[in-house]
Amino acid sequence: MLKCIAIDDEPLALRQLTTYIAKIPYLQLVATCRNAIEAQQLLAQQSVDLIFVDINMPDLNGVDFVRTLLDRPMVIFTTAYSEYAVEGFKLDAVDYLLKPFSFADFSRAVAKANSLYELRNNQRTATHEPAAEAVPQDNEYISVKADYKTSLIKISNIVYLESEGEYVRLHMVDNTTITTLFRLKNMEIALPAERFMRIHRCYIVNLDYIKAYVKGRVYLSDTEYVPIGELYKDAFLQFVDRKFKNLEA
């Protein structure tokens, strides 16, 4: 059971979060807060596993509030302003929900949080040491430790990789995911550079699955995309010029 709090200065938004949380059996709503100051006081008295927090709030916004937390729970940002997404990624948020969001969007976000929570608990109780890096086997497979076992992953089946703090989530071609304990830079070293490119501090993409590029986003399907970080933009645009001259940059 994930203990959570919801923070939003808009009563209707807070009510929606409360309703959605009640529908998820593994979520336990500890409290709702109308501002970040109130949430700070609450967290000083008890710990929680997950925070839903609006970004654009008076006095102390959601991003600055999360930065103040020393023992930081998992965070899902909620906001009506898409330009804040980059700040959310910098803080290793589990997800970012753009208002108005549906229950389906909410469910996907909390499923990621629950998966990460279970993985952390499993790693704490496991008798073996967690994987420190991905191990390249050959040009077709890498091996990673996840769920108490070492798995051989076919490289060509990885669509993209997403950093979640100390963990990396592999998004596979069959829409499944594999989450394992090591940092994205280790995976970047293990994967073949001619097939994979880091385009953001939190994302590596399989170049074979790129469908389009537009306005700072790489589309991996008609609906799924990942952002491009400023530090990685020039290298990616050079790749587009070489390989995807038919795409608009």
Side-chain angles (χ1 to χ4, degrees):
M1 182 74 70
L2 288 174
K3 294 189 295 183
C4 62
I5 62 172
I7 313 165
D8 203 305
D9 62 319
E10 299 176 6
L12 288 177
L14 206 54
R15 192 175 306 137
Q16 182 192 47
L17 276 172
T18 301
T19 301
Y20 283 176
I21 290 170
K23 294 180 178 180
I24 304 294
Y26 52 79
L27 292 182
Q28 176 189 350
L29 182 61
V30 173
T32 60
C33 302
R34 294 290 300 273
N35 56 68
I37 305 299
E38 184 180 338
Q40 281 181 328
Q41 296 170 350
L42 174 70
L43 292 175
Q45 300 173 9
Q46 69 177 97
S47 62
V48 299
D49 304 304
L50 176 64
I51 296 174
F52 299 94
V53 57
D54 185 29
I55 291 181
N56 191 29
M57 294 187 294
D59 298 326
L60 181 64
N61 69 46
V63 170
D64 290 338
F65 160 69
V66 170
R67 287 197 182 107
T68 68
L69 301 177
L70 297 179
D71 187 12
R72 188 180 299 169
M74 293 181 292
V75 176
I76 295 177
F77 283 112
T78 64
T79 184
Y81 302 93
S82 60
E83 61 268 25
Y84 289 119
V86 173
E87 293 301 316
F89 286 125
K90 287 180 180 178
L91 291 170
D92 290 326
V94 173
D95 212 338
Y96 175 96
L97 293 171
L98 185 62
K99 298 178 181 178
F101 51 86
S102 66
F103 180 66
D105 293 332
F106 178 84
S107 298
R108 283 191 289 269
V110 297
K112 289 173 63 177
N114 190 51
S115 175
L116 186 57
Y117 175 77
E118 291 180 346
L119 179 62
R120 286 174 176 172
N121 283 345
N122 290 342
Q123 293 289 357
R124 290 190 190 106
T125 57
T127 56
H128 62 268
E129 288 296 318
E133 60 182 358
V135 181
Q137 297 297 306
D138 51 33
N139 290 330
E140 289 192 54
Y141 293 88
I142 58 170
S143 65
V144 298
K145 287 184 178 180
D147 297 327
Y148 299 102
K149 63 181 181 294
T150 299
S151 300
L152 282 178
I153 308 298
K154 192 170 184 179
I155 291 174
S156 61
N157 288 339
I158 303 173
V159 179
Y160 70 98
L161 303 94
E162 177 184 9
S163 173
E164 295 183 348
E166 298 178 353
Y167 299 82
V168 168
R169 186 183 298 272
L170 286 70
H171 295 259
M172 310 303 293
V173 69
D174 62 357
N175 294 321
T176 61
T177 61
I178 299 170
T179 305
T180 185
L181 177 60
F182 54 81
R183 296 193 176 276
L184 195 63
K185 64 181 180 181
N186 294 345
M187 183 64 85
E188 185 177 11
I189 294 171
L191 292 170
E194 69 275 10
R195 299 174 65 182
F196 287 84
M197 179 179 291
R198 190 164 185 171
I199 63 167
H200 188 279
R201 65 184 298 272
C202 295
Y203 294 97
I204 294 174
V205 297
N206 186 332
L207 300 174
D208 293 336
Y209 289 101
I210 293 177
K211 303 298 182 184
Y213 160 73
V214 61
K215 294 182 180 178
R217 298 174 176 178
V218 171
Y219 279 83
L220 301 167
S221 70
D222 292 339
T223 57
E224 190 169 22
Y225 64 85
V226 297
I228 301 175
E230 285 299 321
L231 293 177
Y232 305 90
K233 188 173 182 179
D234 288 345
F236 178 75
L237 291 179
Q238 291 175 13
F239 167 76
V240 169
D241 287 340
R242 292 196 310 269
K243 300 293 183 179
F244 292 88
K245 293 183 181 297
N246 59 315
L247 299 180
E248 283 189 10

